Amino acid sequence: MAIRLTKPDDDSAIYVYEIPVRLWHWINALAIIVLAVTGYLIGSPLATVSGEASDHFFMGYVRFAHFAAAYIFLFGFLGRIYWAFAGNEHAKELFLPPIWKLSFWQGVWHEILWYAFIAKEPRTYVGHNPMAVLAMNALFVWPSLFMIITGVALYGEGAGYDSWQYTLFSSWVIPLFGQSQDVHTWHHLMMWVIICFIIMHIYTAVRENIMSRQSIISAMVSGWRTFKEPLKK
Amino acid sequence: MIETFYDVMRRQGITRRSFLKYCSLTAAAMGLGPEFVGKIAYAMENKPRIPVLWLHGLECTCCSESFIRSAHPLAKDVILSMISLDYDDTIMAAAGHQAEAIIEETIEKHKGNFILACEGNPGLDEGATGGMSCIIGGKPYTEQLRHAAKNAKAIISWGSCASWGCVQAAHPNPTGATPIHKVPDIGNAPIIKVPGCPPIAEVMTAVITYMLTFEKLPSLDRQGRPKMFYSQRIHDKCYRRGHFDAGQFVEKWDDDAARQGHCLYKMGCKGPTTYNACSTIRWNGGLSFPIQAGHPCIGCSEDGFWDKGGFYNRLSNINQFGIESNADTVGIGSAAVVGGAVAAHAAVSALKRSQQKGGQE
């Protein structure tokens, strides 16, 4: 399957993911990998290095990578929220699943049947399917926000009392959880929630790419959604 | 007329020279500039001694033990005399009814003007112990505490017991031990938390000295702890921090890294999550502190430090998922379940698809 960045020849193709969304998606994916690996290493550092302390700065670099990726993640998230307002209608899906609509829940139910091998035919979607929207909102958007708030609060502890991180976040987040150690534990647990989401996300993206009626993976590269059969209007 | 601190010091045979030395060292301990030495000396010479009631609830007396070891020049002898320590059952001469009468007398005489120093906390659980887990002079400690607290100018919560609950409040907390600020109907006096098990002696004396000198409470953080001692973590000023940044850790108690004084992070050191002044002021007159002695910090000045799993584990236990589980065991378990489910689902999907294709052909 060749992936092209320009409009496909197919006339039914629809431009779904605009450039900022696609850029954010892949930069964010990279940031999350860095955050998860370095975060794990902060909790469970590698075996000790020998020699003089002044010859090494391993934990320093690990923490630096974590903080740098965290800032990319934070500002990426803020930028993505901005794009939910500035971008096309699909840019909003992630943040506002229409949980007040019956048709949305009917769509979720259909996806459950489809994934339970009961429904034989997949439906066609221009944007995400309802189950995907729900999963991304519950298992990615909110956990991300949680990671940002607890993460900045933990960073503020090192930045000190006069830092904006401490004033705006640490000062209330840490007492809210009890103490610093609890914030660490929750921050750590939520990493695993996001990792579980990523496993499901990659699996369903690959599966839908093969088994559903529309392109998935190439759409996040080129932005264009193509359909295996003409779209029913 | 109540004696001034200076009067008391002179009466005890302390020279003016020693007195001024004490003032300058106190100023340094509180992070004040040299110009404050005169202010402290003036206050000590002119202000009457503030009466202090030191009440003991459920506790182990380690706060008192620490306090009387304040190695700050003169503090050991003087701070106890400086404040008018009207009642402290551990170290006072009076006993029995005479001792108890002093509490009432102080409250009457200095209504709204004395400092209530709380060591320990009350057990509020009426169910398990009938509220009888701490009886002083035939009455529940809770009553004595409330009565004194409502008439006090300010309350100092000494140690982790009074500040957070400490060991007696550890799960399942059979007596309902409750930190002072969470006791219902405690009145409106401001509460200063000086956590630690025990708090550092010099921190205790400096908090009192600050209050006497400036006639106001020290600047407190959001959780009610004096900023001058609890605004940084042990980790931030730890002399082994260089080894942490380098990635040099003690892996076992008797390994080479332990002998070389490397970072105790992997041995469960809670320095990175503990707000206290141990790594700067240290203990026993600045001689040492736990990490310097080769033992990880157990986080004794933090809320709930007793219920976070082993002192020697880096990650907190999450007992809801079974004994000895932590964020990683829970996380790796969940990821394995999700991964397994995904693999199984993929296999079934592939099977169904090949069946379908076979059917179509």
Side-chain angles (χ1 to χ4, degrees):
Chain A
M1 180 181 62
I3 292 172
R4 301 167 48 168
L5 286 170
T6 50
K7 184 180 188 312
D9 305 328
D10 186 354
D11 282 342
S12 68
I14 296 172
Y15 191 51
V16 178
Y17 303 119
E18 295 154 293
I19 288 172
V21 173
R22 282 178 278 147
L23 265 180
W24 171 74
H25 178 273
W26 295 110
I27 290 172
N28 211 33
L30 217 61
I32 291 171
I33 292 170
V34 173
L35 283 167
V37 171
T38 54
Y40 184 82
L41 287 179
I42 290 169
S44 311
L46 294 177
T48 212
V49 295
S50 56
E52 287 298 317
S54 53
D55 294 337
H56 305 282
F57 196 56
F58 180 71
M59 278 302 271
Y61 291 131
V62 167
R63 293 173 74 246
F64 174 77
H66 193 79
F67 300 146
Y71 271 118
I72 290 169
F73 185 77
L74 162 64
F75 287 108
F77 194 78
L78 292 178
R80 185 63 182 78
I81 289 173
Y82 164 75
W83 199 253
F85 292 100
N88 64 21
E89 55 174 319
H90 301 295
K92 294 176 183 63
E93 277 179 346
L94 201 58
F95 297 97
L96 271 182
I99 50 171
W100 56 89
K101 282 187 187 159
L102 183 67
S103 60
F104 174 77
W105 291 107
Q106 283 167 340
V108 171
W109 180 241
H110 173 81
E111 286 302 314
I112 290 172
L113 294 179
W114 163 240
Y115 271 86
F117 306 106
I118 294 168
K120 295 281 176 253
E121 288 295 313
R123 287 184 183 169
T124 308
Y125 300 99
V126 175
H128 292 112
N129 74 59
M131 177 92 111
V133 170
L134 198 64
M136 284 179 199
N137 187 266
L139 294 176
F140 182 73
V141 173
W142 292 105
S144 296
L145 192 65
F146 181 92
M147 291 308 257
I148 288 170
I149 292 171
T150 52
V152 177
L154 292 172
Y155 184 81
E157 290 194 289
Y161 259 67
D162 300 323
S163 64
W164 64 267
Q165 292 94 341
Y166 192 94
T167 322
L168 296 179
F169 291 92
S170 319
S171 62
W172 63 274
V173 173
I174 287 163
L176 186 73
F177 282 86
Q179 54 137 304
S180 176
Q181 183 79 15
D182 300 313
V183 185
H184 280 83
T185 302
W186 279 102
H187 193 73
H188 202 136
L189 273 176
M190 206 51 91
M191 171 189 82
W192 286 108
V193 170
I194 292 178
I195 287 174
C196 287
F197 168 78
I198 289 170
I199 295 172
M200 292 189 280
H201 180 73
I202 294 172
Y203 170 64
T204 50
V206 171
R207 185 178 190 271
E208 291 293 290
N209 207 50
I210 299 168
M211 299 181 71
S212 80
R213 291 162 185 259
Q214 58 270 336
S215 67
I216 302 286
I217 298 172
S218 61
M220 195 41 93
V221 178
S222 69
W224 289 87
R225 176 85 78 217
T226 55
F227 301 91
K228 288 171 189 165
E229 60 222 63
L231 190 60
K232 288 169 201 139
K233 293 271 162 115
Chain B
M1 163 87 192
I2 308 171
E3 287 178 294
T4 65
F5 312 111
Y6 183 62
D7 293 336
V8 175
M9 289 178 180
R10 290 312 297 266
R11 184 160 53 74
Q12 297 206 338
I14 288 152
T15 62
R16 180 157 180 84
R17 188 180 167 78
S18 299
F19 166 73
L20 289 175
K21 263 191 194 167
Y22 162 75
C23 291
S24 46
L25 279 159
T26 304
M30 293 194 290
L32 302 170
E35 67 270 26
F36 281 93
V37 176
K39 261 195 169 175
I40 293 173
Y42 177 84
M44 298 268 166
E45 283 167 351
N46 293 286
K47 290 184 183 161
R49 298 192 300 157
I50 294 183
V52 175
L53 280 185
W54 188 310
L55 300 184
H56 298 251
L58 298 169
E59 46 92 343
C60 73
T61 318
C62 75
C63 299
S64 293
E65 289 288 346
S66 175
F67 188 79
I68 60 175
R69 278 163 182 74
S70 176
H72 218 280
L74 305 182
K76 183 172 67 178
D77 301 318
V78 178
I79 300 276
L80 281 176
S81 322
M82 263 172 46
I83 54 174
S84 172
L85 189 57
D86 291 355
Y87 178 93
D88 182 346
D89 52 29
T90 314
I91 52 178
M92 71 197 296
H97 294 298
Q98 283 87 355
E100 294 310 306
I102 295 169
I103 298 182
E104 228 16 76
E105 197 188 306
T106 306
I107 292 173
E108 281 303 309
K109 218 162 113 187
H110 305 288
K111 214 167 202 160
N113 281 317
F114 67 92
I115 291 172
L116 174 63
C118 293
E119 186 174 348
N121 55 27
L124 297 181
D125 193 347
E126 307 264 323
T129 58
M132 296 294 125
S133 52
C134 188
I135 303 293
I136 292 166
K139 282 188 197 162
Y141 169 64
T142 318
E143 282 179 28
Q144 189 189 49
L145 174 69
R146 281 190 181 127
H147 178 51
K150 281 178 189 164
N151 293 298
K153 183 183 183 186
I155 299 171
I156 302 176
S157 287
W158 283 145
S160 291
C161 298
S163 298
W164 308 125
C166 209
V167 178
Q168 63 273 39
H171 182 77
N173 192 359
T175 57
T178 307
I180 304 300
H181 65 286
K182 286 189 181 159
V183 176
D185 195 25
I186 192 82
N188 297 319
I191 297 174
I192 305 156
K193 294 193 190 108
V194 187
C197 193
I200 302 168
E202 282 75 14
V203 168
M204 299 175 83
T205 51
V207 167
I208 288 185
T209 312
Y210 186 98
M211 289 165 74
L212 298 177
T213 307
F214 299 106
E215 289 185 340
K216 64 176 184 189
L217 305 184
S219 163
L220 304 178
D221 69 4
R222 217 181 157 102
Q223 299 185 72
R225 301 171 296 191
K227 276 185 185 169
M228 53 188 166
F229 300 113
Y230 294 93
S231 62
Q232 281 189 317
R233 298 166 300 177
I234 306 289
H235 190 60
D236 294 323
K237 288 281 164 68
C238 182
Y239 79 106
R240 296 192 182 195
R241 179 62 187 263
H243 293 295
F244 172 84
D245 288 334
Q248 297 182 311
F249 302 103
V250 176
E251 310 270 354
K252 275 188 282 185
W253 295 119
D254 56 351
D255 68 3
D256 197 44
R259 279 188 284 275
Q260 291 191 37
H262 289 175
C263 175
L264 294 156
Y265 188 76
K266 282 189 171 182
M267 303 308 289
C269 183
K270 302 296 184 296
T273 56
T274 303
Y275 287 82
N276 208 335
C278 303
S279 50
T280 45
I281 295 180
R282 307 195 184 190
W283 287 78
N284 300 322
L287 180 72
S288 183
F289 72 114
I291 294 167
Q292 195 172 345
H295 190 277
C297 166
I298 64 171
C300 76
S301 57
E302 286 295 320
D303 190 3
F305 77 91
W306 52 88
D307 274 340
K308 302 277 176 261
F311 287 153
Y312 306 110
N313 297 340
R314 172 93 285 279
L315 305 176
S316 289
N317 277 2
I318 306 171
N319 291 332
Q320 284 78 0
F321 294 95
I323 299 297
E324 303 289 298
S325 62
N326 60 36
D328 276 341
T329 51
V330 171
I332 291 170
S334 328
V337 168
V338 172
V342 159
H345 198 271
V348 176
S349 300
L351 198 69
K352 287 259 175 189
R353 194 174 161 80
S354 66
Q355 274 175 354
Q356 240 173 21
K357 273 195 176 159
Q360 278 165 5
E361 274 161 18

